[in-house]
Amino acid sequence: MIIFPTKKNYSKSNFYREYIEKLNACLIGMNLKTIISITDVLKEKIVKKRNIFVCGNGGSASVSNHFLCDFNKGIKLSSNKKILPKVISLSNSLELITAIGNDIGFEKIFSSQLENYATSSDCIILFSCSGTSKNIKDTIKVAKKIGLTIILITGFNNKKSEKVKLHLDLNCKNYGITEDIFSSLMHMISQQIRFESMSKKERVKTTL
């Protein structure tokens, strides 16, 4: 859902300016307490060497795979291998996703994988603009059954109908801006964990 300006003579500069303003408003409006809680849960799972599963559709799938990269490599290197994240992106295998989608059903592309890998001490983070995709809802259902800690990050689903432990909604109806912020959140959290893992001397040499 993208709400475009209705004016006929709307310049490119005005369009871009409005996009930036909406992006900034959503960033400033985020609930920092919830973000801190999410960060604490992820840090705890990493320290305890638990699996962190991540998934999403479309652009959110890309964020999920990027999440894997920044956590598994970035945090590992920043901590001099003292902290070793175990992030598994359920959006990562085209072969497995298409096999499950074709043979079982598209709504099972994430949850079916979760059944293979997850234990009750693990965690899952789901990125979804609407939060209502069938495969996202089914994954939450299976994650609850297994006993995972569930983190749901949505663009425009403040009903909290899934009743997950941690739900951050951006109150943003623009898919592009929502996915921009998904990516920013992933960077914010990974960099904060990296920052905490560094010594004072290492922090001086590192820029955000």
Side-chain angles (χ1 to χ4, degrees):
M1 181 187 299
I2 300 177
I3 301 174
F4 288 112
T6 56
K7 296 177 183 178
K8 290 183 179 180
N9 299 319
Y10 204 75
S11 68
K12 291 183 179 67
S13 59
N14 284 337
F15 186 95
Y16 294 143
R17 189 176 294 110
E18 185 170 328
Y19 187 99
I20 292 168
E21 288 172 354
K22 288 179 179 177
L23 174 61
N24 285 337
C26 287
L27 284 167
I28 293 169
M30 287 193 300
N31 188 323
L32 289 181
K33 286 185 179 180
T34 303
I35 296 172
I36 291 169
S37 296
I38 291 170
T39 304
D40 290 343
V41 167
L42 293 176
K43 176 74 178 292
E44 179 188 11
K45 295 299 180 182
I46 292 170
V47 171
K48 290 184 177 180
K49 299 182 179 180
R50 308 304 186 192
N51 291 323
I52 298 172
F53 298 96
V54 58
C55 66
N57 294 297
S60 298
S62 178
V63 174
S64 299
N65 292 340
H66 195 165
F67 186 104
L68 180 154
C69 174
D70 273 38
F71 273 68
N72 285 359
K73 183 200 73 113
I75 293 175
K76 175 182 177 180
L77 295 183
S78 295
S79 67
N80 291 320
K81 300 183 181 180
K82 288 183 253 182
I83 302 178
L84 303 174
K86 299 180 185 298
V87 176
I88 299 171
S89 174
L90 304 177
S91 300
N92 200 34
S93 174
L94 178 63
E95 297 82 2
L96 187 54
I97 287 170
T98 53
I100 295 170
N102 186 61
D103 298 339
I104 305 173
F106 192 75
E107 72 278 6
K108 297 289 184 181
I109 62 171
F110 304 135
S111 59
S112 180
Q113 296 182 66
L114 210 57
E115 290 170 338
N116 285 40
Y117 305 131
T119 65
S120 60
S121 57
D122 294 333
C123 170
I124 185 166
I125 180 166
L126 306 98
F127 292 100
S128 176
C129 289
S130 69
T132 59
S133 302
K134 288 182 179 180
N135 53 19
I136 294 295
K137 295 179 80 171
D138 191 69
T139 302
I140 291 173
K141 180 181 177 181
V142 171
K144 283 182 177 180
K145 185 176 179 180
I146 297 171
L148 273 71
T149 301
I150 303 169
I151 299 168
L152 176 63
I153 301 179
T154 57
F156 43 91
N157 182 355
N158 56 12
K159 295 180 181 179
K160 299 186 179 180
S161 57
E162 301 301 334
K163 296 180 181 179
V164 301
K165 180 177 180 180
L166 287 169
H167 180 191
L168 177 68
D169 185 74
L170 305 177
N171 191 27
C172 176
K173 293 184 178 180
N174 184 301
Y175 279 84
I177 292 175
T178 294
E179 289 169 354
D180 289 340
I181 298 175
F182 284 173
S183 186
S184 293
L185 277 167
M186 178 271 301
H187 284 133
M188 287 165 58
I189 295 170
S190 67
Q191 288 192 24
Q192 205 285 326
I193 295 173
R194 290 167 65 185
F195 177 77
E196 282 191 344
S197 70
M198 293 177 179
S199 66
K200 290 182 179 180
K201 190 178 291 185
E202 290 171 325
R203 290 176 182 177
V204 171
K205 297 177 183 178
T206 306
T207 57
L208 288 174

